[in-house]
Amino acid sequence: MTKLGEAKTHFERALDCKHTEFDDLYPYMIEHPQFFWYKRYVAWSELLTIVKLCTELSMEWEQQFSAAQVEYIQKRVMSSKVLDFWFETNDSKEHVS
């Protein structure tokens, strides 16, 4: 469950364009506009992988997420809807600490 929480935080930080471990691995990518899309894709893939492992191990992962987030994860596609509505409201300037 710790790894699930870490993967969720990593994805949310990537959505907010905040620093993640990925930035340390590929610091030169910050200079390229497509970097943020790739960073989000990597974080989304990590989250889906951890959720898949939780499911295979019969661990309850859904309680870590809102109902809408569970639906996004179950669909597995990182669509614009996921990017726009992951936090359910877009009026907050600070999503992840």
Side-chain angles (χ1 to χ4, degrees):
M1 296 316 286
T2 300
K3 291 294 180 192
L4 179 65
E6 290 171 357
K8 180 182 181 199
T9 298
H10 183 211
F11 178 65
E12 290 175 349
R13 289 186 66 80
L15 281 180
D16 279 345
C17 299
K18 293 189 175 183
H19 186 84
T20 68
E21 289 179 3
F22 192 80
D23 298 299
D24 297 332
L25 293 172
Y26 303 101
Y28 63 89
M29 290 185 75
I30 293 172
E31 301 168 9
H32 302 285
Q34 69 272 20
F35 165 73
F36 293 107
W37 287 103
Y38 187 69
K39 180 176 169 175
R40 290 171 180 163
Y41 172 77
V42 168
W44 179 247
S45 296
E46 177 188 22
L47 180 60
L48 293 180
T49 299
I50 299 295
V51 165
K52 181 179 178 184
L53 287 171
C54 288
T55 301
E56 289 174 2
L57 295 170
S58 301
M59 298 177 73
E60 295 292 326
W61 59 269
E62 294 91 347
Q63 70 269 12
Q64 301 286 330
F65 301 90
S66 70
Q69 291 169 342
V70 169
E71 184 180 331
Y72 300 147
I73 291 168
Q74 289 172 336
K75 289 181 180 177
R76 303 186 52 84
V77 175
M78 188 178 66
S79 66
S80 60
K81 187 173 182 180
V82 173
L83 296 173
D84 291 342
F85 299 107
W86 178 262
F87 295 106
E88 296 185 10
T89 62
N90 285 334
D91 57 357
S92 173
K93 292 188 185 286
E94 190 73 22
H95 293 127
V96 179
S97 58

